[in-house]
Amino acid sequence: MPDATTFDAFLEAQARALRAGDVAPATRLIWEKRKAKLRADAFAAMGPFPEKACALGPRVVGTLKRAGYRIEKVVFQSRPGVWVSSTAYVPEPARGKRPAVLCVHGHFAGARRDPVIQARCLGLVQLGFFVLAVDAFSAGERHPAGVGYHGALLGSTLWPAGHTLLGMQVYDNRRAVDYLCARPEVDAERLGITGASGGGNQSMYAGALDERFKAVVPVCSVGSYQAYLRAACCVCEVLPGALRFTEEGDVLGLVAPRALLVINATRDAFQFSIGEARKALVRTKAIYKLYDAGEKLRHDTFESPHAYNQPMREAMYGWMTRWLKNEGTGKPIPEPKHAIEKPEDLACFPGGKRPPGFLFPPTFAAREAQALLAPFRDAKLDHKEAWEARAATIGAELGKALGPVPAPGRPAGKFGKGETSAGVTTNSLTLTPEPGLPLSVAVRFKGALGGKVPACVLLHLEGKVEALKHPLAAELVAKGWAVYAPDLRATGQAKPASDRVGVAPDHNSAEHAVWIGRPLLGQWLIDVRCVLAFMAVQPGLLRDRLAVVGLGQAGVVVLAGAGLLDQAVSLAAVGAPASFVTTTAYPPGTRMGLLAPGILRAGDVQHLAALAAPRKLLIAGGMGADGKKLEEKALRTAFAFTRKAYRLAKAEGRLTVRAGEAPGELVGLL
């Protein structure tokens, strides 16, 4: 039987299998070919970058004069409507072009204005470097509330539109380099980047993918991708599907032959541990060796918790000085004394007042979603053939977003010992949708299954116990249906321990699934298809009366997977979200597992649900992506495209959209 460890073990085994054939490149030619593909794969996984860079439109909105340097408060535009708040530390007096360092922050409360980030900026500027510190997308002055965490249900609003928080950060940092190169004080041939934690993650990717950086120093961030599957990580660290094409050591290898200093701490989290970093660096060292550049790669470790403390900063100063100034040997340089500025004095937007139209992850994602969904608004679907062509396109794009959802074979099942109470029997059933991954199902029916009865797969994302508590379960059984309620993987008794982060109940399992390129939504559909395939060969069930019903958010599993649940004669969603598109963070309790990266390239919920045609489809009640209940008129509008598809399929009578959710009425509509 599955338990809290089953899903994690399954994913870890999948990851090991994906990377089992990794070998270090034997020649530089082999590596250069791999390098080109790796760069392309990484960019594709991060989400689309603009084909043409927009005008930066930089503005200095304030200046602080200090002894030996000045601090400029700068805003610039990275994408149309996406503004970056930043701080430039400019050495004075001017003495020709200076080397420059981009300082990116991690999960520090004050973002670029945090004392820890300020410390390295002040140390660098006093050593003669031009320094630029930027707020990451949706952090610091770019957070909707002006301060707060940018991950979980805020950062993941980008996923359905095919963007990632990591990709937004990488592109912001690329535009920050454009800004640095445009400054007359900066030598564009001598650029470095550094950051810790999430900022170290940014430093690694920016250094790997932007060769204008000549020195790269990620701190307390390097480990291995497979280690992420045993930890909680921020949305900003997730590279969708990365384990399908690489491991972290090769990403670090993209920096070669430029200077790379990796810093780790003895008391850090497992995914950033010295041991995991050393695993990655075995590959990286082999790549540096191909360029005869071993002296440009160093791994420093410190007795410390997760940090970017003074000894770490001093190691970074020495490294930047060696490779950007061509001075010294790379040994640590003592940190100059400095005075930390008050955060409010560094604000680009005093009082937190951002200009109208300032974009955050949800509003940016909503804008991108509108562009992706434009073909549905503009298309003239006026005959059956036009709909069939559109359906084929939806299906192809959906397959890319969900990952592999193979057709089930003839699944074998093992029943347990049933218990009967008041004429109702509940039995346990174990299926195996994939090797090494058992699926627990509760089967409930009235009387005996000696004759032919209709049957329903009843889904709830809290698992089978919650599904059977729902009044619809009792109503189905009372009216002679057999109910099959599964614990979809990573739910119910199979829910991993410590899966929740903040208000996201399946944060870790959803992220871990994305790392291996198999979003939970696609994996849940494998489970449902397995249950249906088992039911279809049971002698006591009517094959022409098989239904799948999703309760609450599980309704999205049914609607998004309508085209794949082909053995179901009728489908229903009860109280399900009607869209992936929102202009605010998803409401607390939203399942990140539903947010398959890029799913809006296939369509929104109403477009995916249309693939149910011409079978029976019941949509009973619904919510907006903001969590608010939709009235009947709004619900019908939300599924207008679905109705159009049913009309073209000459099956409009088989689609029911209603605000009411009365169980007795719903059973009659299945």
Side-chain angles (χ1 to χ4, degrees):
M1 295 289 285
D3 59 25
T5 67
T6 303
F7 186 64
D8 287 340
F10 171 75
L11 289 186
E12 289 170 25
Q14 292 263 305
R16 286 194 298 271
L18 287 169
R19 307 303 342 139
D22 283 354
V23 293
T27 67
R28 191 188 298 187
L29 179 61
I30 291 172
W31 167 245
E32 291 290 344
K33 289 181 179 179
R34 164 127 175 86
K35 175 181 177 179
K37 185 176 187 306
L38 176 52
R39 284 175 58 88
D41 288 343
F43 280 127
M46 287 178 183
F49 285 6
E51 292 183 9
K52 183 179 180 181
C54 68
L56 284 168
R59 301 194 313 273
V60 177
V61 297
T63 302
L64 304 175
K65 293 285 189 177
R66 299 293 183 259
Y69 61 95
R70 69 180 185 272
I71 301 175
E72 297 178 354
K73 296 177 281 187
V74 181
V75 294
F76 62 87
Q77 185 178 226
S78 62
R79 303 176 190 240
V82 178
W83 290 91
V84 180
S85 45
S86 67
T87 312
Y89 297 77
V90 187
E92 292 184 328
R95 292 177 181 168
K97 290 183 177 291
R98 307 266 190 164
V101 177
L102 177 62
C103 284
V104 288
H105 65 82
H107 299 101
F108 295 88
R112 80 176 202 283
R113 296 179 289 162
D114 193 275
V116 176
I117 284 72
Q118 284 195 53
R120 81 185 74 131
C121 296
L122 293 166
L124 283 164
V125 73
Q126 291 180 94
L127 291 171
F129 293 89
F130 184 107
V131 185
L132 183 68
V134 296
D135 278 332
F137 191 46
S138 196
E141 293 191 273
R142 303 175 70 191
H143 188 277
V147 64
Y149 180 52
H150 64 183
L153 296 177
L154 179 60
S156 60
T157 56
L158 296 162
W159 284 3
H163 288 268
T164 64
L165 199 49
L166 173 59
M168 296 296 292
Q169 292 174 344
V170 166
Y171 192 73
D172 279 354
N173 294 335
R174 173 171 288 197
R175 299 313 312 280
V177 175
D178 292 342
Y179 173 71
L180 285 171
C181 292
R183 290 285 303 228
E185 306 94 335
V186 171
D187 182 347
E189 296 301 315
R190 296 187 291 162
L191 302 179
I193 184 170
T194 188
S197 188
N201 196 61
Q202 290 184 60
S203 298
M204 176 180 73
Y205 287 109
L209 300 172
D210 192 332
E211 295 185 348
R212 290 176 293 179
F213 288 114
K214 298 303 189 290
V216 181
V217 184
V219 177
C220 288
S221 63
V222 169
S224 69
Y225 288 160
Q226 291 182 64
Y228 273 121
L229 302 185
R230 296 171 58 184
C233 65
C234 178
V235 168
C236 75
E237 297 170 89
V238 178
L239 183 62
L243 279 161
R244 304 196 78 80
F245 59 83
T246 195
E247 247 294 359
E248 197 161 332
D250 276 10
V251 175
L252 290 164
L254 292 175
V255 180
R258 293 166 289 133
L260 172 63
L261 168 62
V262 174
I263 293 177
N264 287 96
T266 55
R267 302 196 303 278
D268 211 336
F270 174 72
Q271 69 271 31
F272 308 137
S273 64
I274 292 171
E276 290 302 302
R278 284 173 176 162
K279 289 180 186 178
L281 289 169
V282 168
R283 283 293 287 268
T284 311
K285 288 176 181 177
I287 294 165
Y288 267 77
K289 186 176 180 180
L290 297 175
Y291 292 91
D292 295 320
E295 65 172 347
K296 289 188 175 181
L297 173 63
R298 197 171 85 202
H299 185 204
D300 284 357
T301 61
F302 293 84
E303 176 59 39
S304 171
H306 192 74
Y308 202 156
N309 55 33
Q310 184 172 335
M312 295 173 178
R313 296 195 297 269
E314 292 176 341
M316 178 268 291
Y317 299 149
W319 192 255
M320 295 295 186
T321 298
R322 169 68 182 89
W323 297 110
L324 298 184
K325 288 186 172 184
N326 198 27
E327 297 175 4
T329 63
K331 292 182 178 179
I333 292 176
E335 183 168 79
K337 292 183 179 180
H338 55 252
I340 299 297
E341 303 288 340
K342 294 179 180 178
E344 57 268 27
D345 291 341
L346 298 178
C348 292
F349 306 110
K353 295 180 180 179
R354 276 68 61 94
F358 196 90
L359 292 174
F360 306 104
T363 46
F364 174 81
R367 186 182 76 179
E368 296 296 294
Q370 293 309 312
L372 290 172
L373 298 176
F376 292 101
R377 295 191 300 272
D378 302 338
K380 293 182 179 180
L381 294 181
D382 52 6
H383 57 278
K384 184 179 179 182
E385 289 74 18
W387 159 240
E388 289 174 345
R390 173 64 61 182
T393 300
I394 294 172
E397 290 295 333
L398 185 61
K400 296 175 186 176
L402 295 179
V405 185
R410 185 184 174 95
K414 182 179 181 181
F415 281 103
K417 185 178 181 181
E419 296 182 359
T420 302
S421 176
V424 174
T425 298
T426 303
N427 205 345
S428 63
L429 167 66
T430 303
L431 300 172
T432 307
E434 295 188 68
L437 192 68
L439 176 68
S440 177
V441 186
V443 182
R444 182 168 290 178
F445 54 91
K446 184 172 66 174
L449 294 181
K452 297 281 188 177
V453 300
C456 173
V457 183
L458 192 61
L459 306 175
H460 195 293
L461 294 184
E462 290 292 340
K464 60 180 183 284
V465 172
E466 291 302 315
L468 293 177
K469 283 182 183 178
H470 195 279
L472 184 58
E475 192 68 28
L476 284 163
V477 171
K479 293 190 174 179
W481 288 66
V483 174
Y484 284 64
D487 273 342
L488 299 177
R489 63 188 71 185
T491 75
Q493 70 184 51
K495 179 180 177 65
S498 304
D499 205 21
R500 175 182 289 272
V501 172
V503 295
D506 62 344
H507 180 279
N508 294 344
S509 56
E511 287 192 340
H512 296 168
V514 167
W515 270 110
I516 68 165
R518 299 188 58 193
L520 270 178
L521 178 57
Q523 295 197 52
W524 286 334
L525 285 167
I526 292 174
D527 293 346
V528 179
R529 282 161 65 95
C530 177
V531 177
L532 278 171
F534 178 81
M535 293 164 65
V537 296
Q538 298 311 297
L541 304 182
L542 291 168
R543 292 191 63 179
D544 60 354
R545 294 290 304 281
L546 297 183
V548 180
V549 178
L551 302 171
Q553 292 181 66
V556 177
V557 179
V558 177
L559 298 177
L564 294 166
L565 303 178
D566 47 8
Q567 288 187 302
V569 177
S570 59
L571 302 168
V574 181
S579 177
F580 293 113
V581 184
T582 177
T583 56
T584 61
Y586 289 113
T590 298
R591 295 277 173 163
M592 287 174 57
L594 298 172
L595 310 177
I599 195 168
L600 285 168
R601 294 176 185 142
D604 205 354
V605 175
Q606 63 171 322
H607 310 116
L608 306 180
L611 297 183
R615 293 166 293 157
K616 278 188 177 183
L617 176 60
L618 168 62
I619 297 166
M623 301 181 297
D626 58 3
K628 296 179 180 178
K629 187 175 177 62
L630 297 175
E631 299 299 327
E632 183 132 351
K633 182 178 179 181
L635 187 65
R636 289 181 177 276
T637 300
F639 286 92
F641 184 91
T642 313
R643 186 166 298 282
K644 181 185 290 187
Y646 266 77
R647 187 161 52 246
L648 292 171
K650 302 186 184 306
E652 192 170 5
R654 295 179 184 174
L655 171 65
T656 303
V657 180
R658 55 186 294 169
E661 301 178 19
E665 297 176 4
L666 300 185
V667 174
L669 294 169
L670 292 175

